[in-house]
Amino acid sequence: MVNVQLTITGHVQGVGFRWGTLKLAQELGITGFVRNQADGTVYVEAQGSDKVVAAFIRRLADGPTPYAIVDRIRQTAAPLADYDDRFTVRP
């Protein structure tokens, strides 16, 4: 089990990125959350098995919606957390 913090840059706000991320996380069984940042990036905390989290990141890099363009994903390891067994969109 791993927990990662992701900061995603590119054309990622106003294109359904958070909702596409939610759908993808639910599909893969990832827990955590996604939120927009004031600087135009999207922040994600994602927790799950090593392989599933790696697949999640690869799919985010392609953009979870057709309108998103991901330039970069900065990844940092984080301690395991309690997300109440769900993935949420935060304001």
Side-chain angles (χ1 to χ4, degrees), residues 17 56-66 68-70 73:
F17 194 96
F56 177 70
I57 294 168
R58 282 192 303 274
R59 291 181 62 186
L60 284 181
D62 291 335
T65 70
I69 300 170
V70 175
I73 298 178

Side-chain angles (χ1 to χ4, degrees), residues 15-71:
V15 293
F17 194 96
R18 290 178 301 154
W19 301 103
T21 301
L22 172 67
K23 183 178 176 185
L24 178 59
Q26 289 172 335
E27 177 184 317
L28 295 174
I30 298 283
T31 61
F33 67 89
V34 58
R35 71 173 178 234
N36 285 340
Q37 300 285 87
D39 64 1
T41 63
V42 171
Y43 176 79
V44 177
E45 288 190 15
Q47 185 167 283
S49 74
D50 293 350
K51 287 183 181 183
V52 172
V53 169
F56 177 70
I57 294 168
R58 282 192 303 274
R59 291 181 62 186
L60 284 181
D62 291 335
T65 70
Y67 307 106
I69 300 170
V70 175
D71 292 333

Side-chain angles (χ1 to χ4, degrees), residues 30-32 82-87:
I30 298 283
T31 61
D82 181 6
Y83 299 109
D84 292 326
D85 293 324
R86 60 191 178 126
F87 193 92

